[in-house]
Amino acid sequence: MLYHIRFYKVPTISIDSKKDLVLKSVITITNDLGDKFFFGNVNLKVDIGVGLNPILLSWTSGMQSCNLNIPIPKRTKSISVNVIAEISSLDDVLEENPQFLRLKTLPFKLPSGTCERVSIRYDLLHPPATQSNNGSESIDRSTDKLARPQLTIAEEAGSNNLARHVWDAGLATCQWLVDNRTVSQRKLLGSPRTIVELGTGCGLVGLALSKLFIDSKVILTDLEDANEICNRNIQLNIAQTNKRKRDVHNVAFQVFDWDSDETPVEKDKIDLVVVTDCTYNPSSYDSLLKALSIVTRTGTKILLAHKYRDPDEEEFFKRLTFKKLLDTTVDYYSQSVRLLVMEA
């Protein structure tokens, strides 16, 4: 199983009795949904990027969180947090070949008080590192020479809101899009004028599409809960793109309720609809199918990715009536994600 190292509580910068700065937070190791904690013994190596030796924390079976307290050297202006997990022995784990996505933040200045959001960079050429059972670092690297997008994604630290976290199927979809750019763009997905993503969450997949399809208009949709975090990520990536002197303002967020009778964009302008990891809850199937019927017309392409968690989820796929153009499995760090390209 793939586990995410995440901030369980919002990081804070405090001043100790010696008037030194201290980074305080709580770290957790969970699956992407956040409903399963890693059960095993691992060492967490924490580096804040200021030239100090990494600090080692012990995560043991049964833990749900681990306290983090790191002194910050005087005159430090900014830090970045990098946390990796290392398994020293197979005897320390109960499951076969667990993988861990490291927590690596962008540098952030040292304010007083709370660091409410920490931005995590996802480089789609070199995905976040995982550690194998022998403790060595394993990174998938592609030999494709095409230019690769780099995304900066802010997750909401300390939030239980699922829309504010990155999910495995989204990461797998991004990797598939990048690794199959010529195939996906020219044969399967065409050259869409407008792309609409349903249930965008943090906006990871839609933002990747906005950089891969720079001539397309990309509309990221979700409930109001995702509005703030998604717009933050849009701004983070626009700023990042502008530094490279490329003007990419082809992406926007729009609130869209699947039970609504109105489309976020005129239906005849939508060429591609994207849905990733929105099929984990059977109670939402009627609403999702209604939304798909509202935003598609004859010829609209649908890109759907799903990570299986329960046998009941197969019911959704039985109810799909779209023509299948591709039905494949994407392996992303030991996670099997089903990916379909369909046509309405």
Side-chain angles (χ1 to χ4, degrees):
M1 178 175 284
L2 180 64
Y3 291 94
H4 296 243
I5 304 173
R6 286 175 166 150
F7 287 118
Y8 193 64
K9 288 190 176 181
V10 176
T12 61
I13 305 296
S14 61
I15 300 176
D16 64 13
S17 59
K18 297 180 181 179
K19 297 185 178 181
D20 292 327
L21 293 178
V22 179
L23 171 68
K24 293 186 176 183
S25 186
V26 179
I27 291 175
T28 189
I29 308 177
T30 71
N31 63 351
D32 59 342
L33 196 58
D35 61 353
K36 180 180 180 180
F37 297 94
F38 173 66
F39 192 84
N41 301 327
V42 296
N43 293 320
L44 294 175
K45 185 184 294 184
V46 185
D47 185 3
I48 60 172
V50 292
L52 299 177
N53 291 328
I55 293 176
L56 294 179
L57 303 176
S58 294
W59 177 282
T60 57
S61 298
M63 292 181 68
Q64 295 186 359
S65 62
C66 183
N67 291 326
L68 179 65
N69 294 279
I70 300 181
I72 300 172
K74 295 182 184 298
R75 294 183 292 278
T76 300
K77 295 182 179 180
S78 67
I79 62 173
S80 60
V81 182
N82 184 24
V83 186
I84 62 174
E86 294 182 338
I87 298 175
S88 57
S89 171
L90 291 176
D91 295 333
D92 290 335
V93 296
L94 298 179
E95 62 182 86
E96 183 179 354
N97 194 31
Q99 301 285 308
F100 303 90
L101 283 183
R102 70 186 178 192
L103 170 63
K104 185 175 183 180
T105 72
L106 296 178
F108 55 91
K109 295 181 180 179
L110 293 179
S112 58
T114 300
C115 308
E116 292 186 357
R117 297 179 185 83
V118 178
S119 301
I120 303 171
R121 176 161 289 169
Y122 288 90
D123 186 332
L124 299 184
L125 174 57
H126 305 303
T130 71
Q131 280 64 50
S132 59
N133 286 333
N134 61 8
S136 63
E137 186 175 276
S138 171
I139 304 178
D140 290 342
R141 299 184 186 276
S142 172
T143 58
D144 192 335
K145 300 300 182 182
L146 290 171
R148 302 302 180 100
Q150 187 178 69
L151 299 176
T152 301
I153 299 296
E155 289 188 312
E156 189 80 356
S159 172
N160 292 322
N161 189 323
L162 295 178
R164 298 173 182 265
H165 291 157
V166 169
W167 289 31
D168 294 346
L171 290 168
T173 301
C174 289
Q175 199 61 51
W176 178 83
L177 285 166
V178 170
D179 288 344
N180 299 277
R181 286 182 69 178
T182 55
V183 175
S184 62
Q185 287 187 15
R186 296 176 185 176
K187 294 184 178 180
L188 289 172
L189 304 183
S191 300
R193 296 166 298 171
T194 301
I195 302 171
V196 171
E197 183 180 12
L198 303 180
T200 187
C202 289
L204 173 69
V205 177
L207 285 165
L209 286 164
S210 75
K211 295 195 175 189
L212 292 170
F213 295 87
I214 59 175
D215 295 323
S216 302
K217 180 179 181 181
V218 182
I219 306 298
L220 313 180
T221 72
D222 210 317
L223 297 175
E224 179 62 36
D225 286 347
N227 191 344
E228 183 182 4
I229 194 71
C230 194
N231 271 304
R232 172 176 170 79
N233 285 326
I234 290 172
Q235 294 304 315
L236 281 171
N237 287 278
I238 286 177
Q240 181 186 43
T241 302
N242 286 345
K243 288 181 180 179
R244 293 175 171 80
K245 298 182 179 180
R246 291 178 57 199
D247 187 21
V248 178
H249 292 270
N250 61 332
V251 58
F253 176 83
Q254 187 169 332
V255 174
F256 176 56
D257 189 324
W258 293 348
D259 290 318
S260 172
D261 293 324
E262 297 183 4
T263 63
V265 184
E266 292 181 35
K267 182 184 295 191
D268 61 354
K269 295 182 179 180
I270 302 174
D271 297 316
L272 175 62
V273 176
V274 180
V275 186
T276 62
D277 231 340
C278 292
T279 50
Y280 65 94
N281 183 6
S283 66
S284 68
Y285 289 172
D286 288 341
S287 299
L288 178 53
L289 289 168
K290 177 183 177 180
L292 284 170
S293 69
I294 287 176
V295 298
T296 58
R297 54 176 170 76
T298 301
T300 301
K301 301 289 181 62
I302 302 103
L303 171 61
L304 189 150
H306 170 70
K307 173 184 171 182
Y308 279 104
R309 295 180 173 86
D310 189 283
D312 291 342
E313 295 164 356
E314 184 61 33
E315 179 63 27
F316 177 80
F317 296 93
K318 293 179 181 178
R319 297 174 63 181
L320 291 174
T321 58
F322 303 115
K323 177 183 177 182
K324 290 182 182 178
L325 305 179
L326 175 71
D327 189 347
T328 188
T329 298
V330 179
D331 291 323
Y332 186 83
Y333 291 121
S334 75
Q335 299 299 290
S336 293
V337 173
R338 185 180 182 184
L339 189 143
L340 293 90
V341 178
M342 300 172 288
E343 185 176 69

